[in-house]
Amino acid sequence: NKNSLKRCYDDTLPQKCSECGKRINNVKVKNNLSNLQMAVLLNISEEEFTNILTGKILPDLNFLNNLKQNFEVSVDWILYGE
């Protein structure tokens, strides 16, 4: 994948990934949902969802897949803003 190769040499990647919580929050706000409602939809605890939003933890593959399926967003956009 062309994007994957570009990411190998992208020194802005940590900054892009650190902003994934903001992008996830944008999805939440756009859909007028609370943290608890998002957590239920994504099959995680509200605490875990809050930790993802604040950048304390990174989303795992199950979270990303659930977010993609429930809200029709790209995983690349969530993680990298692309």
Side-chain angles (χ1 to χ4, degrees):
N1 183 323
K2 194 182 205 180
N3 282 339
S4 296
L5 185 58
K6 283 188 343 188
R7 287 191 194 112
C8 289
Y9 303 103
D10 185 353
D11 60 357
T12 65
L13 206 52
Q15 173 68 24
K16 289 177 182 174
C17 289
S18 73
E19 294 176 357
C20 75
K22 291 178 186 176
R23 288 185 283 276
I24 295 165
N25 191 59
N26 288 343
V27 172
K28 180 189 84 158
V29 170
K30 180 181 176 183
N31 289 279
N32 199 30
L33 297 170
S34 69
N35 284 5
L36 179 59
Q37 290 169 320
M38 285 290 287
V40 168
L41 280 171
L42 300 170
N43 202 28
I44 59 173
S45 70
E46 185 177 7
E47 180 181 4
E48 187 176 357
F49 182 75
T50 301
N51 286 337
I52 291 169
L53 287 184
T54 59
K56 290 182 182 175
I57 61 172
L58 290 174
D60 66 16
L61 188 57
N62 287 329
F63 176 93
L64 293 171
N65 189 48
N66 286 338
L67 191 66
K68 178 182 177 177
Q69 289 181 344
N70 282 298
F71 299 100
E72 297 180 357
V73 294
S74 153
V75 172
D76 281 341
W77 176 76
I78 296 162
L79 292 176
Y80 310 113
E82 300 173 354

